[in-house]
Amino acid sequence: MSLPKRLLTWFRPDTTRPLTQAWLAALWMGLLANWPLWRQLSSMPDAGPGFAVVFAGMVTAATGALLSLLAWPRFIKGLLVVLLLASAALAHFIGSYGIVFDPTMVVNMLQTDVRETRDLLSWRLFASLLLLGALPAAWLLRRPAAPAQPLTRRLGGNLAAFALALVAMVVLALSVFATLSSTMRNYKTLRYMVTPLNAVYSLASAGARRQAAPSGPPAVIGADARLLPQPAGAKPPLLLFVVGETARAMNFSLNGYERPTNPELAKLPVLSLRQVTSCGTATAASLPCMFSPLGRSAFGDLKGPQENLLDVLQRAGLAVLWLDNQSGCKGLCDRVPNSSTARLPEGAAPLPPGLCTKDELGEEECFDEALLHGLDKRIAALDPERVKRGVVLVMHQMGSHGPAYFKRSPPDLKPFLPECRSNALQQCPREQVVNGYDNTIATTDRLLARSIAWLQGQATRFDPGMLYVSDHGESLGENGLFLHGMPYAMAPAEQTRVPMILWVPEGGGLAASLKPGCLAALRDKPASHDNLFHTVMGWVGARADVYKPEWDLLAGCRAGG
């Protein structure tokens, strides 16, 4: 074969071959679907254009190496179509919101409901899916079948391509080793931006963890749970535990924020703790950890399912009820009475007009105030013997869930305008994004104030109190980041600093048991989700072997504590 023909064959490879298809897809995904990664590298002072070019070569070689091992007829096309579409979607979300795709994000994604998924849909997402995913996938599917080839020859070609890709990766890495090592050390999130390898790794890691988890019922904790004896004439406790969603501490005026996001709570005798950190940066990670006695560090090492705070409280003899206005309780409420804003108690009046809305697809979403509707009937439906001992009512908010913040506040409660009316937050002026978010905090403020008003009405039967804390925070464009879900070790304070608010009414049994002025001293004391399990146990007078008084925020304030 003449030299011109050889060159023409080289530049016009046989696209029917699975190995050729694999490498063309690797080039497409490595170079084009990673545009958020190249944008990020271009903004780093210690990573110049030369490094970006070399890193692009490494990413392409790594993707090609993996696909070379999988380049087999009747298999490679389907795999590449899935990877192309996944890479296109990841490019949109990473580029638009600055998120990364790690194993925790996989779990969060699998637990997302229709409402949350709907909020993420946009024309920009469809455009990315079309241009980066569907078009190359359509071209790929139109390629004719490859001619028959002996198994050993195809295997040898695949292994040779794999080996050459590894050699190329090593050579490229060595050529920029100093810059590569410092960049990967200083910017650890980069590893979760490499598409589609981030998806392959994260899905495999999440799947391996799920397979490794033992099957069967959750491990029992607090088998000796019991209630402390109450003084004669004492009223049973009624604790309203409000689990917030995506609320960050720095946007609460109770914590010093310059905007009046808490006008109603500011009029009430509440205590806002200002130095509280979360278990995680996403609901799937934080929520189970919040209800565990282990604390964040030990909970991360947990190998299998375990009972939680609700199980222990119920075993102690209390009435427990979970009310949800979100995507579910992540398994926490499976063994206790539970309901949602969509399921009204029998005999309850219909929800007032305007409290719930339907979108163009007919999906219904209720504002968090619907959680307060029919509470008396809900409590009346619980076991009366348990109610006599006390009630723990958990309300799980929709809160400030993004990116469609404008949907989370009702029309009559939007003090900060104009607000971003799009889920493409990066397309709105940042002040409009903040306005929309702050309106959700004002909505939570009203919910908590009205919750306290309801609790005050229960004081003839119970010793009421309220504890509010969010599951995680939120980024609103700081350093190009939106939403949440960053790996905890790399997450900014906006995603890990959360509000915690206590209402302990004067004249109640709990207040009488506390040293005067002691609660106020907790305002600037460091606290975290680690304290929740033990603080709630102490609050309602429940004890078990898993209770740690040193983690109970109120223990030091009790008389004799």
Side-chain angles (χ1 to χ4, degrees), residues 27 78 162 202 211-212 223 266 276 302 319 358 361 382 385 432 462 481 533 554:
L27 282 167
F162 173 76
S202 297
Q211 287 296 321
V276 182
L302 194 61
K358 288 188 177 182
L361 299 178
L382 297 174
E385 292 302 313
Q432 293 186 16
F462 298 100
L481 296 178
F533 181 101
L554 303 180

Side-chain angles (χ1 to χ4, degrees), residues 481-501:
L481 296 178
F482 291 92
L483 305 183
H484 53 267
M486 292 288 288
Y488 197 89
M490 315 168 198
E494 289 83 5
Q495 296 188 26
T496 59
R497 290 279 299 280
V498 294
M500 182 185 289
I501 298 172

Side-chain angles (χ1 to χ4, degrees), residues 362-382:
E363 293 290 335
E364 186 174 64
E365 177 178 327
C366 296
F367 296 113
D368 285 329
E369 196 172 326
L371 290 164
L372 296 173
H373 192 73
L375 280 184
D376 292 330
K377 290 187 177 295
R378 292 188 189 277
I379 290 179
L382 297 174

